[in-house]
Amino acid sequence: MKSKKITQKTLKKAGLPPESLVYVGDKIKKEKVRITLFSYNEKDFEEKECADIEECLQFIEKKNNVKWLNIDGVHDTRIIEKIGGLFNIHSLTQEDILNTEQRPKVEEYPEYIYIVFKMIYPDGKGNELLFEQISIVLGADYVITFQEAEGDVFDPVRDRMRTGKGKVRTMGADYLAYLLMDTLVDNYFIILESFGEKIEDIEEILLTNPQSGTLHKIHNLKWNLLFMRKSLWPLREAINNLIRSESALVKKSTFLYLRDLYDHTIRVVDIIETLRDITSGMLEIYLSSISNKMNEVMKVLTIIATIFIPLTLVAGIYGMNFEFMPELHMKWTYPAVLLFMLGVGVGMVFYFKRKKWL
Amino acid sequence: MKSKKITQKTLKKAGLPPESLVYVGDKIKKEKVRITLFSYNEKDFEEKECADIEECLQFIEKKNNVKWLNIDGVHDTRIIEKIGGLFNIHSLTQEDILNTEQRPKVEEYPEYIYIVFKMIYPDGKGNELLFEQISIVLGADYVITFQEAEGDVFDPVRDRMRTGKGKVRTMGADYLAYLLMDTLVDNYFIILESFGEKIEDIEEILLTNPQSGTLHKIHNLKWNLLFMRKSLWPLREAINNLIRSESALVKKSTFLYLRDLYDHTIRVVDIIETLRDITSGMLEIYLSSISNKMNEVMKVLTIIATIFIPLTLVAGIYGMNFEFMPELHMKWTYPAVLLFMLGVGVGMVFYFKRKKWL
Amino acid sequence: MKSKKITQKTLKKAGLPPESLVYVGDKIKKEKVRITLFSYNEKDFEEKECADIEECLQFIEKKNNVKWLNIDGVHDTRIIEKIGGLFNIHSLTQEDILNTEQRPKVEEYPEYIYIVFKMIYPDGKGNELLFEQISIVLGADYVITFQEAEGDVFDPVRDRMRTGKGKVRTMGADYLAYLLMDTLVDNYFIILESFGEKIEDIEEILLTNPQSGTLHKIHNLKWNLLFMRKSLWPLREAINNLIRSESALVKKSTFLYLRDLYDHTIRVVDIIETLRDITSGMLEIYLSSISNKMNEVMKVLTIIATIFIPLTLVAGIYGMNFEFMPELHMKWTYPAVLLFMLGVGVGMVFYFKRKKWL
Amino acid sequence: MKSKKITQKTLKKAGLPPESLVYVGDKIKKEKVRITLFSYNEKDFEEKECADIEECLQFIEKKNNVKWLNIDGVHDTRIIEKIGGLFNIHSLTQEDILNTEQRPKVEEYPEYIYIVFKMIYPDGKGNELLFEQISIVLGADYVITFQEAEGDVFDPVRDRMRTGKGKVRTMGADYLAYLLMDTLVDNYFIILESFGEKIEDIEEILLTNPQSGTLHKIHNLKWNLLFMRKSLWPLREAINNLIRSESALVKKSTFLYLRDLYDHTIRVVDIIETLRDITSGMLEIYLSSISNKMNEVMKVLTIIATIFIPLTLVAGIYGMNFEFMPELHMKWTYPAVLLFMLGVGVGMVFYFKRKKWL
Amino acid sequence: MKSKKITQKTLKKAGLPPESLVYVGDKIKKEKVRITLFSYNEKDFEEKECADIEECLQFIEKKNNVKWLNIDGVHDTRIIEKIGGLFNIHSLTQEDILNTEQRPKVEEYPEYIYIVFKMIYPDGKGNELLFEQISIVLGADYVITFQEAEGDVFDPVRDRMRTGKGKVRTMGADYLAYLLMDTLVDNYFIILESFGEKIEDIEEILLTNPQSGTLHKIHNLKWNLLFMRKSLWPLREAINNLIRSESALVKKSTFLYLRDLYDHTIRVVDIIETLRDITSGMLEIYLSSISNKMNEVMKVLTIIATIFIPLTLVAGIYGMNFEFMPELHMKWTYPAVLLFMLGVGVGMVFYFKRKKWL
């Protein structure tokens, strides 16, 4: 269950001075930090993996190039501090990068814009969602991305850089930041797609044979949608802030792209809302199908009891040991009683048929 | 079920560069692209079907005329690109035209206004709604409409053009765009009308004999209303933006018409909300009618059991084989016991009558 | 049921050019159009019924007088068109007058203000509400009102005009328009009053003997409130627009009256909300009273079964035909068993008493 | 029940000209009108009860003094009219004073500010709330308060005036108006206090033995909260308007006090919301306790039936009259069957214990 | 239960003049008032516990130092008054400090900013939350904090002051105020953490064996979240006001820290909302698990009754005492009937298996 995870990460930090650089995140993501650098302009392109940030320095200082520095793993506070020093990143931003429980947001600082996004992917079993925080620092001619672990959804962007496909090599750092955000938002659609499939499965079960396990499936879906909504809802405002920002770091020409990104974000949130409504509807159907089943069971019980209990009384009466029961001594009474019982039984069945209980 | 459809279309695009022109839509709509052109002013009127966009070029270049270019089918990216090049349509707009899962919106570009609407019609069986995206590009003296498939609701507009009825021939391209939007909104009323009829049918069933099928009918209605609401809700804001737009493409004289259109849109949304409230009310009635039925069944069971079980005990007592049961040997006891049983039974019935259970 | 009515009227118009003058409304209201004119100033007063609009012309052209032209019946498009021509009423306004499914609204035009209100009255049987659209066109020195049918709530206003009571004869056309709106809003209070009485009736039934018919009564009330709310909700904004309007047609001196009207409108909406909350509470009470009844029924069944089924077993045991059952041959066993049964029965009753089931 | 009261008062006025002075209120409050006057400044203090308003005139005209004129009873329209004439009170305000169904509001007029508050107190039995309208007219150097009946919560204010305690004697009329409003808001806290106690009582009943009467208690509370909320919700906006008012009647120095009053108002509304949430929670608990009880009853029934019905069958089998049933003639079979029955019964009990049904 | 506590504190004050200094709070917190003073700048640091406020005076008057005066216990009105006099604190602020039922808020006064926060900690048993009011008065070079009782969460701040760790010694009073607020907000995360654990426990119970006690646990959690939300919701607006404040008391350099604090506050509220949604989901699961259990019980009853009641009839028939029942005298009929009964029983079981009832 995820309820614990929501709150636990933040705990480690409480009690420390506000700008203390302490990593707050899941331990399972703590592998070695990997630093990769892309440096490019329309003609030039370099890609490098650096063992340490110093190794990358000469590339970073190159003028006229857009630099994309990607850090996989934010648990090594020393590296974050070094990069922070190099790029003049405020200690509060550094703290936010390390604390991976931020809400998506856009914060303007004089020398850079700090953007927090969530990367979402299903866990191995496909029942839960994992949320990874992506911090994007957009400077004048560089973009730095901090990820919690290796593996991301940015490979298409990398491919386009390498091959020079698309506009990315001809545009500035702000376009690169846009491209990364757009890729992340595109990824949300894929996650939602898989939800659509799950909903279809549950709908089919609901129509045929709803069971108590179905309820847990619906709730699992509901909670996944809830967590996803919580993670993406602030995006709208964040991107809107970016659009209305007057920072020189975002060029006019990028405006149309950001508006498009905003549009996508609204659509994501919209789809989540729709899926939530559908999930609620499925819950209602599930609950009333339980009621209906109960009704069915009760009807069977009532029909059986109503037919057989009176007949049992009749049999009981003729099982009494009174001395003077003249009908017991007549030849035709036994078959008559049997016929009478059959008649009552059949009559009852017809009665229930007419009342639509059968 | 529609839940899958919501998300699936977008999937194809994820991972491609943002302005890639890839068609995202249902395959069943992929027929040959059909291009028709209307060119008119107060005196002049021409109507033409072009095999290819080049064929239409000479008409498009005609000054002093309002041109309406209608494209049925947006799956042929080559045609969209060509038209985009001709009319200077931004690649992001081209992308939106191809991706038929947009929300209704109005976007201003320097040379044109891009409008997305949904055309809604029932499928063959009448249980589900189909949504077709209509993209409208409004330029200085032209309107281009992109539809997903042939067949639309614009025939009355075409007739008025041909016959010169109404104001359309005397007004500019912005009035034509308004006319198309107004026709689409009018069409929503027709859809809602059919919902009104369905609701009436369900209401009648609810009053006579609600069954578990009724629940599915109500939910089908509820979901159709949900999808319709999702598709039309953004319209209000979109048209409001158009009204407050300062673009030179929308003339002052069209303002009153747009305000009227806005008014209609609000009414559509209003009716949807009302229908949703009614649908919720029907759900409540359905559920409590199920409860009531259960109550009825339980009452029958209880009455039968309460009358016959005690009598069975009496019969059982006189069926015991004790040697010394003096009453067994008296002549009047058997009829007395029978009468006693009858009395108890009748008494019970009266008791239940008084308690209003019968 | 009203759900159909909501949508049907609008259907007739869909597909026609936007300013087509087509009557959209209920046929039952189509009687002959009746035109009445009041023309007055502080000293002068004339009242006239005109067979046709031309007949009224000379009175309308009278300067220094405030004119109130009342049209009962809007189904005769010819008359609307004529009046529209005479008073320079925009074709979109004419269309709105004819389409009686408008939401309440206030629209400013250069030469007049167009106001739509709803007149609400109960139908004959008192179970449903009828909604009649009142269009008010407020010009510099005239007010034109269009009603769907004869019969309205304006008689007190007419009386005051005739007798010169109140301020109406000393004030301008804007005050007259205010007076008419105020009368309509006052009428809403009367309708709500009757709802209050119905609620009291239902509350009494709920406390004594709720039945399945009660549910339908509550829902009928709920839906009436829903429709009333839908009709009156937009009023607030409409009147607020009127107050903030900078049109010269509304004099400063009328401002305080409009503020008062706004206040009344808010109170109407407030009362509707309160009644809706009460209705929801009644629904809850109804549903839990059904549950409670079920509980009662189940208890009876359980008590009967729990007392008699074990005793029946005892009787059954001594009805077995084993040869060697020594207790059958003792003299005191039969009364002992009877006493034992009685004891168990009485014991059970006490047990249930202590468990508060009886 | 209060639903009728909400709407009835207003009825009397509908149909009259807008500024007609007609009293709209409960008759039970109609005692003789009582007029009291306080006139004071830092040094001077006079208190007077006047038989008629003329009697008070000379005190009212005294300069340099703050005057507080309190009218107990607003059913005598003649007195209201006289006072209205004396103090130049607009006829619409006079109408609002008489119509005691106003919502709390603040209205600025050129010469005074008109404030409507509700005084709330429990009725004798403590189950319902009574609402009395307090109209406050704040002028340059006077405050007039109109109450529906004698008896109010202002005695502490009067005491402070008489004894000169607190700041009231050193401040202007606006401070007095603030003081009165503050006293009224303080009174709301006392009412809410008593609700807190009732909730505690109900909570205790819910934990021990919820009955159908509990539901009515919860709903009574819920409705009282609903009415209180309706009466106090508009206060926030009203006081906020007063704070932002630019009227010269409210001095800068009073601003901090009004901000404090606003704060108190928000807290009142906040507490009401909290109590409403608690009440809803109690409803939920009540309803699920009903469900739980039903479950208990059903379990008892099922256990009894499951244990005894099969045993009854066994007894029935050995009560059959077949000639050739060899086991009937063996000596050990009767006790064996009894033991078997006992075994089955005990086994069942263990089975239910393991299934946690017992 | 907490419902009473919400309202009771305020009661004591109602009826007193608005600025009366009366302590409104829980008696259990009334220990001796403890006054501690921290005075520091980058080089200098002094810490002192004063028996009375006069003792501290000389330290307070020291220029160039930031002073933090902490008062544990606000029930001694005399001390509050003295401090109020010393620091020019408005009597309304003094009143708010004493009345410990304030909502969180930020109020600007000319010479200081008054901030109210809540400190939240679990009671001994861990089932309820205790709320303590922290009043912060931020002046030009001093911060005064008023707490209800000894013991707080500020020790880390004190440690950093003593050791000179972090920025606190180099920054002004506004940074200290920020630090205190940040520590309080960090503390909320710890509380929420413990909620996360409780939710996990309840989730496990829900999956295995939900009982009626579970409902009370869920409601306890729900109410704790409700109270916490009520206490923290106003924080957002309060801190936002602080950020947008133009008071000279808050330096530009502190702005980024306040924005960070605002961000944390939003996250706290966000987590509370998420936990509330989860709690609601758990309630739904609990309720439908109750329904499911009922269904199970009913099925068992129905199965037993359906199998055994008809067989009992058969046994009853052959227990009748008719003289002429030829089958009673044949040798094979008894075992045949037994076999028939067995067959019917087994058949029923199979039937129920196929219907998935077993």
Side-chain angles (χ1 to χ4, degrees), chain B residues 251-265:
Chain B
K251 281 165 217 135
K252 274 273 146 71
S253 57
T254 318
F255 168 79
L256 284 179
Y257 295 98
L258 289 178
R259 191 175 69 176
D260 197 60
L261 180 62
Y262 180 68
D263 210 62
H264 288 191
T265 313

Side-chain angles (χ1 to χ4, degrees), chain A residues 94-222:
Chain A
Q94 291 183 37
E95 193 198 349
D96 281 358
I97 291 169
L98 289 167
N99 184 336
T100 61
E101 289 298 294
Q102 304 300 316
R103 304 166 80 238
K105 64 178 173 181
V106 167
E107 281 180 353
E108 283 181 49
Y109 288 84
E111 291 183 43
Y112 60 89
I113 295 174
Y114 175 54
I115 301 163
V116 179
F117 259 67
K118 295 288 169 186
M119 185 155 68
I120 306 178
Y121 44 90
D123 71 344
K125 288 173 244 152
N127 286 329
E128 293 204 13
L129 294 178
L130 300 176
F131 294 81
E132 187 181 330
Q133 174 165 313
I134 308 284
S135 291
I136 302 175
V137 175
L138 165 62
D141 61 352
Y142 64 87
V143 169
I144 317 177
T145 49
F146 298 89
Q147 306 187 25
E148 289 187 65
E150 278 191 60
D152 57 33
V153 297
F154 296 143
D155 281 336
V157 177
R158 292 195 186 92
D159 282 346
R160 267 177 270 156
M161 279 186 183
R162 288 177 192 127
T163 58
K165 240 175 36 185
K167 289 189 183 174
V168 60
R169 291 265 291 272
T170 67
M171 308 279 280
D174 55 343
Y175 184 83
L176 174 58
Y178 152 72
L179 215 54
L180 296 172
M181 291 188 277
D182 193 56
T183 310
L184 287 166
V185 171
D186 271 3
N187 185 48
Y188 301 151
F189 284 107
I190 299 177
I191 299 289
L192 291 174
E193 163 81 356
S194 74
F195 284 1
E197 276 161 27
K198 269 183 201 161
I199 285 176
E200 226 173 308
D201 290 351
I202 297 173
E203 273 169 347
E204 221 166 283
I205 294 174
L206 275 184
L207 281 173
T208 54
N209 186 29
Q211 286 165 315
S212 83
T214 316
L215 182 67
H216 285 282
K217 273 186 195 168
I218 296 175
H219 270 286
N220 182 284
L221 197 68
K222 206 178 145 187

Side-chain angles (χ1 to χ4, degrees), chain A residues 297-307 352 357, chain B residues 297-298 300-301:
Chain A
V297 171
M298 292 306 301
K299 272 185 194 168
V300 169
L301 175 59
T302 303
I303 289 165
I304 292 290
T306 308
I307 292 175
F352 288 127
W357 285 16
Chain B
V297 171
M298 293 306 301
V300 169
L301 175 59

Side-chain angles (χ1 to χ4, degrees), chain B residues 9 23 26 29 73-74 100 131-133 146-150:
Chain B
K9 287 194 185 175
Y23 169 64
D26 285 349
K29 292 180 187 161
V74 292
T100 60
F131 295 80
E132 188 180 329
Q133 175 164 313
F146 297 88
Q147 307 187 25
E148 289 187 64
E150 277 191 60

Side-chain angles (χ1 to χ4, degrees), chain E residues 14-245:
Chain E
L16 292 173
E19 292 161 290
S20 319
L21 296 183
V22 175
Y23 168 64
V24 178
D26 286 349
K27 285 196 180 95
I28 51 155
K29 292 177 186 163
K30 281 192 185 177
E31 307 140 17
K32 207 197 153 318
V33 174
R34 197 167 146 255
I35 302 171
T36 51
L37 179 81
F38 286 79
S39 166
Y40 63 85
N41 60 27
E42 209 163 336
K43 293 162 199 159
D44 196 19
F45 173 78
E46 268 171 306
E47 180 176 354
K48 201 172 157 51
E49 188 161 341
C50 320
D52 206 341
I53 184 69
E54 281 84 2
E55 236 181 272
C56 283
L57 261 189
Q58 60 180 108
F59 299 92
I60 288 164
E61 278 155 7
K62 215 165 180 179
K63 297 274 171 217
N64 299 323
N65 268 22
V66 175
K67 274 82 68 183
W68 173 24
L69 192 64
N70 181 47
I71 321 293
D72 285 334
V74 292
H75 47 275
D76 190 342
T77 58
R78 201 185 43 85
I79 292 176
I80 308 300
E81 249 177 308
K82 254 195 227 164
I83 296 172
L86 262 167
F87 290 93
N88 249 325
I89 298 175
H90 195 284
S91 51
L92 283 171
T93 304
Q94 292 184 36
E95 192 198 350
D96 281 358
I97 291 169
L98 288 167
N99 184 336
T100 60
E101 289 297 294
Q102 304 299 317
R103 305 165 80 237
K105 63 178 174 182
V106 168
E107 281 179 352
E108 283 181 50
Y109 287 83
E111 291 183 41
Y112 61 91
I113 295 174
Y114 175 53
I115 301 163
V116 179
F117 259 68
K118 294 287 168 187
M119 186 155 68
I120 306 178
Y121 45 90
D123 71 344
K125 289 172 245 153
N127 287 327
E128 292 204 12
L129 295 177
L130 300 177
F131 295 81
E132 187 181 329
Q133 174 165 315
I134 309 284
S135 292
I136 302 175
V137 175
L138 165 62
D141 61 351
Y142 63 88
V143 169
I144 316 177
T145 49
F146 298 88
Q147 307 187 24
E148 289 188 65
E150 278 191 59
D152 56 31
V153 298
F154 297 143
D155 281 336
V157 177
R158 291 195 186 90
D159 282 345
R160 268 176 268 156
M161 278 185 183
R162 288 177 191 129
T163 58
K165 243 177 30 187
K167 290 188 182 176
V168 61
R169 291 265 291 272
T170 67
M171 309 280 278
D174 54 344
Y175 184 83
L176 173 59
Y178 151 72
L179 216 54
L180 297 172
M181 291 189 276
D182 193 56
T183 310
L184 287 166
V185 171
D186 271 3
N187 186 45
Y188 300 152
F189 284 108
I190 299 176
I191 299 289
L192 290 175
E193 163 81 356
S194 74
F195 283 1
E197 276 161 27
K198 268 184 202 160
I199 285 177
E200 225 172 308
D201 290 351
I202 298 174
E203 274 169 347
E204 221 166 281
I205 294 174
L206 276 183
L207 281 174
T208 55
N209 185 29
Q211 286 165 317
S212 83
T214 317
L215 182 67
H216 285 282
K217 274 187 194 167
I218 296 175
H219 269 284
N220 181 283
L221 197 68
K222 206 178 145 187
W223 286 355
N224 274 335
L225 283 167
L226 176 67
F227 285 108
M228 203 155 166
R229 185 174 174 276
K230 295 275 171 197
S231 290
L232 303 187
W233 190 257
L235 263 190
R236 287 167 33 141
E237 208 199 321
I239 295 176
N240 202 24
N241 284 346
L242 201 58
I243 289 174
R244 286 177 311 176
S245 145

Side-chain angles (χ1 to χ4, degrees), chain B residues 156-157 160 165-167 175 178-179 182-183 186-187 189-190 192-197 199-200 203 206-207 256-260 263-264 266-267 270-271 273-275 277-282 284-285 288-289 291-292 294-295 298-299 301-303 305-307 309-313 316-327 348 351-352 355-357, chain C residues 1-11 13-19 90-92 95-96 99 101-103 105 107-109 209 211-212 215-216 219 222-223 226-227 229-230 234 276 283 286-287 290-291 293-298 300-301 304-305 308-309 311-316 318-322 327-335 337-338 341:
Chain B
V157 178
R160 269 178 268 155
K165 244 177 30 189
K167 290 190 182 174
Y175 185 83
Y178 151 72
L179 216 55
D182 193 57
T183 310
D186 271 2
N187 184 48
F189 284 107
I190 299 177
L192 290 174
E193 163 81 357
S194 75
F195 282 2
E197 276 161 27
I199 285 176
E200 226 173 308
E203 274 169 347
L206 275 183
L207 281 174
L256 284 179
Y257 295 98
L258 289 178
R259 191 175 69 176
D260 197 60
D263 210 62
H264 288 191
I266 286 181
R267 265 171 59 209
D270 225 49
I271 292 174
E273 290 304 314
T274 308
L275 293 179
D277 283 347
I278 291 173
T279 311
S280 296
M282 292 196 310
E284 272 173 25
I285 291 180
S288 59
S289 82
S291 275
N292 271 326
M294 179 90 113
N295 257 359
M298 293 306 301
K299 272 186 194 167
L301 175 59
T302 303
I303 289 165
T306 308
I307 292 174
I309 291 182
L311 299 183
T312 303
L313 175 64
I317 287 172
Y318 290 109
M320 293 193 297
N321 296 323
F322 288 102
E323 214 165 293
F324 303 95
M325 294 174 71
E327 60 267 52
M348 282 294 194
Y351 175 75
F352 288 127
K355 272 201 122 177
K356 310 238 162 167
W357 285 16
Chain C
M1 298 290 148
K2 256 170 237 145
S3 38
K4 199 179 176 183
K5 242 167 56 190
I6 301 164
T7 50
Q8 72 187 7
K9 289 194 185 176
T10 323
L11 185 56
K13 270 219 56 177
L16 292 172
E19 291 161 289
H90 194 285
S91 51
L92 282 171
E95 192 198 349
D96 281 358
N99 184 337
E101 288 298 294
Q102 304 301 316
R103 304 165 82 235
K105 63 177 175 182
E107 280 180 353
E108 283 181 52
Y109 288 83
N209 187 28
Q211 286 166 314
S212 83
L215 182 67
H216 285 282
H219 270 286
K222 205 178 146 188
W223 285 355
L226 175 68
F227 285 107
R229 185 174 174 277
K230 295 275 170 197
R276 274 162 61 95
L283 253 177
Y286 171 77
L287 290 174
I290 295 290
S291 276
K293 258 192 178 168
M294 178 90 113
N295 258 359
E296 286 310 304
V297 171
M298 292 306 301
V300 169
L301 176 59
I304 292 290
F308 288 97
I309 291 183
L311 299 183
T312 303
L313 175 63
V314 171
Y318 290 107
M320 293 193 297
N321 297 322
F322 286 103
E327 59 267 53
L328 292 183
H329 308 294
M330 300 169 189
K331 267 213 155 166
W332 55 270
T333 40
Y334 174 53
V337 164
L338 284 190
M341 283 180 172

Side-chain angles (χ1 to χ4, degrees), chain A residues 156 160 166-167 175 178-179 182 186-187 189-190 192-193 196-197 199-200 203 207 256-257 259-260 263-264 266-267 270-271 273-275 277-278 281-282 284-285 288-289 291-292 294-295 298-299 301-302 305-306 309-310 312-313 316-327 348 352 355-357, chain B residues 1 3-4 6-11 13-19 90-92 95-96 99 101-103 105 107-109 209 212 215-216 219 222-223 226-227 230 283 286-287 290 293-294 296-298 300-301 304-305 308-309 311-312 314-315 318-321 327-331 333-334 337-338 341:
Chain A
R160 267 177 270 156
K167 289 189 183 174
Y175 184 83
Y178 152 72
L179 215 54
D182 193 56
D186 271 3
N187 185 48
F189 284 107
I190 299 177
L192 291 174
E193 163 81 356
E197 276 161 27
I199 285 176
E200 226 173 308
E203 273 169 347
L207 281 173
L256 285 179
Y257 295 98
R259 191 174 70 178
D260 197 60
D263 210 62
H264 289 192
I266 287 181
R267 265 171 58 209
D270 224 49
I271 292 174
E273 289 305 313
T274 308
L275 293 180
D277 283 346
I278 291 173
M282 291 197 309
E284 272 174 25
I285 291 179
S288 59
S289 82
S291 276
N292 271 327
M294 179 91 112
N295 257 0
M298 292 306 301
K299 272 185 194 168
L301 175 59
T302 303
T306 308
I309 291 182
T312 302
L313 175 64
I317 287 172
Y318 289 108
M320 293 192 296
N321 296 322
F322 288 103
E323 215 166 292
F324 303 96
M325 294 174 70
E327 58 268 54
M348 282 293 194
F352 288 127
K355 272 200 122 177
K356 309 239 162 165
W357 285 16
Chain B
M1 298 288 149
S3 38
K4 198 178 177 184
I6 301 165
T7 49
Q8 71 187 8
K9 287 194 185 175
T10 323
L11 186 56
K13 269 219 55 178
L16 293 173
E19 292 161 289
H90 194 285
S91 51
L92 282 172
E95 191 198 349
D96 281 358
N99 184 337
E101 288 298 293
Q102 304 301 317
R103 303 165 82 237
K105 63 178 174 182
E107 280 180 352
E108 283 181 50
Y109 288 83
N209 186 28
S212 83
L215 182 67
H216 284 282
H219 270 285
K222 205 177 146 188
W223 286 354
L226 176 67
F227 285 106
K230 296 275 169 195
L283 252 177
Y286 171 77
L287 290 173
I290 295 290
K293 258 192 178 169
M294 179 90 113
E296 286 310 304
V297 171
M298 293 306 301
V300 169
L301 175 59
I304 291 291
F308 287 97
I309 291 182
L311 299 183
T312 303
V314 171
Y318 290 109
M320 293 193 297
N321 296 323
E327 60 267 52
L328 291 182
H329 308 294
M330 299 168 190
K331 269 213 153 168
T333 40
Y334 173 53
V337 163
L338 285 189
M341 284 181 173

